[in-house]
């Protein structure tokens, strides 16, 4: 297979190197037949999660039951907590689908990441409001704020929910099992800030709502970034586990938490020894199996495991390594994207990465080709597997594909990884009819997670 696909041909490689590349190609290139089996299982897991709590796909009710009309106006606030940064935003809606944002980014300090997260967040809100003279006085009503929290939370209302587990490298003790809104609200109170957390929002739900403000046909919001996950509008009749009142709209946004797919039995995803090694050494072993094959946080590390496996057989860099290459996480996923698009005859970009960034001198052209092939394989598998969740979710509401729909997507993999979007979309097309596929518009919902939280805070306050 490798020899017939020019992308995986390594000129000048030894028979043993060819053989190793063949092995990798057979592990990482997934046929449509293989994907079809995974899609079927994904659908089954979705149904299971709609019927009961505690399943692999959590299908979490977001309590968001409305759609923005697009003609709303006014300014609203939001907080967006990612794995490395916190953004505080003021979002102004112009009433014609247009959005203006003013925002400030704060890097999470090591102390915040390990201990004082919620006090740190409250402090950032205070700075943002004070810098702009927006802090409400005792006579003014409190500011309603939407809180985007990009971790799995079992929501108990629009503004309460308990943290199920940390993902993506954050690991602040004392938070799992507690209501994250309470934790934040208490920290805001300690600073005497008149700010009310009006909505707790997963980033995928925020992404969907921001897309829906601009385009009412939006049905699904996806993140392909540091982590991966999606949210979509589901008919409440299908949400068998739902015990609350039926919303008048008849629908609710669900947070799938799809990163967890296949984490219970590792039975369907194409695990290689390189994935298993990553999983074992990760902060959350046996969790987020799907996310670990797709998202930006992990792809560099999978590639590093492969390269060391090759080096240990003297098939890469003649068995040499460096302190940097030996260290976990030393290959950033962005190096893979640079390598995958390096078309220079000497693979200059790849040479820089191996020799300067990873500090292993004297790479041969064969080594550089091997690095590029590994990058391409890991990236392509990610994009092909991404299509699994997209297809399963779209087919879950296949009736909607009779009309044009928009899918809002954000995240570094989608925005920056070369070829990711086209491979994902092409793969999706193999599992739908041409008519269905023509109706889907994949659009970038840049920074939609924060904007969407502000929109949800607005919808909540309109209803009060
Ligand atoms: C992780 C989180 C999830 C989030 C996703 C994208 O999978 O568990 O809540 O939506 O990352 O940021």
């Amino acid at each position: 297979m490798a020899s017939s696909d020019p992308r995986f041909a390594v000129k000048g490689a030894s028979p043993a190197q060819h053989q190793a590349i063949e092995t990798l190609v057979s592990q990482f290139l997934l046929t449509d037949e293989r994907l079809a089996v995974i899609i079927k299982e994904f659908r089954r897991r979705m149904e299971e999660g709609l019927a009961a709590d505690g399943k692999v796909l959590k299908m979490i009710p977001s309590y968001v039951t409305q759609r923005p009309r697009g003609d709303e106006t006014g300014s609203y606030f939001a907080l967006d907590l990612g794995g490395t940064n916190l953004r505080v935003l003021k979002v102004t809606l112009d009433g014609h689908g247009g959005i203006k944002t003013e925002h400030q980014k704060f890097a999470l300090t090591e102390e915040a990441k390990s201990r004082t997260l919620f006090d740190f967040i409250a402090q950032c809100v205070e700075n943002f409001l004070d810098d702009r003279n927006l802090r409400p006085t005792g006579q003014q009503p409190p500011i309603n704020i939407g809180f985007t929290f990009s971790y799995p939370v079992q929501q108990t209302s629009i503004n309460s929910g308990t943290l199920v587990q940390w993902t993506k490298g954050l690991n602040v003790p004392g938070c799992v099992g507690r209501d994250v809104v309470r934790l934040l609200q208490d920290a805001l109170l300690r600073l005497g800030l008149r700010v009310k957390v009006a909505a707790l929002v997963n980033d995928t739900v925020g992404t969907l709502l921001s897309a829906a403000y601009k385009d009412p046909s939006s049905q699904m919001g996806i993140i392909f970034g540091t982590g991966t996950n999606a949210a979509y509008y589901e008919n409440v009749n299908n949400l068998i586990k739902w015990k609350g009142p039926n919303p008048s709209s008849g629908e609710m946004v669900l947070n799938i938490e799809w990163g967890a797919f296949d984490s219970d039995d590792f039975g369907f995803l194409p695990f290689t020894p390189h994935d298993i090694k990553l999983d074992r050494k990760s902060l959350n072993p046996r969790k987020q199996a799907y996310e670990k094959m797709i998202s930006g946080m992990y792809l560099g590390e999978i590639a590093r495991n492969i390269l060391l496996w090759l080096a240990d057989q003297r098939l890469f860099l003649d068995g040499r390594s460096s302190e940097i290459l030996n260290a976990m996480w030393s290959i950033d996923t962005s190096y893979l994207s640079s390598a995958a698009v390096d078309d220079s005859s000497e693979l200059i970009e790849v040479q820089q990465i191996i020799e300067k960034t990873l500090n292993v001198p004297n790479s041969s052209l064969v080594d550089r080709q091997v690095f590029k092939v590994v990058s391409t394989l890991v990236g392509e598998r990610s994009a092909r597997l991404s299509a699994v969740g997209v297809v399963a979710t779209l087919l879950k509401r296949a009736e909607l594909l009779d009309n044009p729909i928009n899918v809002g997507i954000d995240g570094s993999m989608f925005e920056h990884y070369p070829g990711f979007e086209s491979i994902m979309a092409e793969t999706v097309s193999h599992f739908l009819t041409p008519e269905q596929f023509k109706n889907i518009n994949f659009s970038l919902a840049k920074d939609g997670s924060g904007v969407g939280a502000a929109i949800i805070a607005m919808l909540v306050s309109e209803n009060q």
Side-chain angles (χ1 to χ4, degrees), residues 87-397:
R87 287 192 312 142
V88 187
L89 305 89
K90 182 178 174 208
V91 175
T92 306
L93 308 175
D94 73 4
H96 310 287
I99 296 167
K100 265 217 317 269
T101 59
E102 189 181 332
H103 72 106
Q104 202 170 334
K105 210 178 199 176
F106 302 87
L108 294 183
T109 59
E110 282 312 313
E111 210 196 0
K113 285 198 233 173
S114 60
R115 239 165 22 90
T116 54
L117 183 67
F118 290 94
D119 284 308
F120 175 85
I121 300 176
Q123 190 69 59
C124 296
V125 176
E126 180 172 56
N127 290 351
F128 183 88
L129 295 177
D130 285 349
D131 285 355
R132 291 162 182 78
N133 258 330
L134 293 168
R135 185 186 186 121
T137 63
Q139 277 76 41
Q140 291 168 313
I143 286 178
N144 278 337
I145 197 162
F147 179 28
T148 304
F149 186 74
S150 317
Y151 299 89
V153 159
Q154 195 60 53
Q155 279 200 235
T156 40
S157 75
I158 186 70
N159 66 346
S160 62
T162 50
L163 177 62
V164 179
Q165 72 193 42
W166 287 114
T167 52
K168 298 179 295 191
L170 214 64
N171 203 2
V172 188
C175 301
V176 171
R178 301 191 53 199
D179 178 357
V180 291
V181 172
R182 191 67 274 149
L183 292 173
L184 175 57
Q185 196 69 67
D186 286 349
L188 291 163
L189 271 175
R190 284 197 283 278
L191 293 180
L193 279 177
R194 293 174 55 74
V195 171
K196 176 166 187 280
V197 185
L200 173 63
V201 179
N202 185 262
D203 53 353
T204 56
V205 179
T207 299
L208 173 52
L209 268 282
S210 80
Y213 182 75
K214 293 187 181 145
D215 180 344
S217 79
S218 302
Q219 295 292 353
M220 190 177 173
I222 313 180
I223 302 283
F224 292 122
T226 308
T228 184
N229 185 18
Y232 72 109
Y233 278 98
E234 180 59 278
N235 183 332
V236 177
N237 291 333
N238 295 335
L239 185 59
I240 298 162
K241 67 183 174 188
W242 178 247
K243 307 251 162 31
N246 262 9
S248 53
S249 65
E251 56 179 10
M252 186 182 289
V253 176
L254 301 185
N255 164 14
I256 302 175
E257 280 296 330
W258 77 19
F261 174 67
D262 208 29
S263 297
D264 54 344
D265 63 0
F266 279 27
F268 285 84
L269 290 174
F271 292 95
T272 68
H274 315 293
D275 298 294
I276 305 279
K277 183 167 167 202
L278 176 145
D279 181 65
R280 195 174 284 133
K281 297 202 169 169
S282 67
L283 271 180
N284 51 352
R286 305 292 295 192
K287 302 232 159 80
Q288 302 296 94
Y290 185 56
E291 178 161 273
K292 284 174 180 156
M293 289 188 189
I294 291 183
S295 72
M297 172 152 177
Y298 302 103
L299 299 193
E301 183 61 12
I302 298 173
R304 196 184 71 89
N305 287 343
I306 299 173
L307 293 169
L308 290 180
W309 171 75
L310 291 166
D312 290 349
Q313 304 169 74
R314 301 193 69 155
L315 302 176
F316 179 60
L317 294 168
D318 198 24
R320 292 172 301 128
S321 186
S322 67
E323 210 174 308
I324 298 180
L325 184 56
N326 286 342
M328 263 194 97
W329 309 114
S330 63
I331 297 193
D332 195 277
T333 297
S334 64
Y335 307 165
L336 307 190
S337 31
S338 309
V341 290
D342 184 353
D343 284 329
S344 62
S345 57
E346 295 296 309
L347 297 177
I348 302 293
E349 192 65 39
V350 181
Q351 182 176 20
Q352 285 283 330
I353 295 169
I354 299 177
E355 299 185 9
K356 297 278 165 348
T357 316
L358 300 173
N359 201 26
V360 189
N362 304 323
S363 62
S364 69
L365 189 52
V366 170
D367 292 328
R368 293 175 222 154
Q369 292 176 77
V370 167
F371 191 104
K372 183 173 168 175
V373 166
V374 169
S375 304
T376 307
L377 281 173
V378 172
E380 176 146 338
R381 187 184 66 164
S382 155
R384 298 260 296 158
L385 279 176
S386 296
V388 165
V390 179
V391 171
T393 310
L394 291 174
L395 289 179
K396 176 70 191 59
R397 300 220 58 201

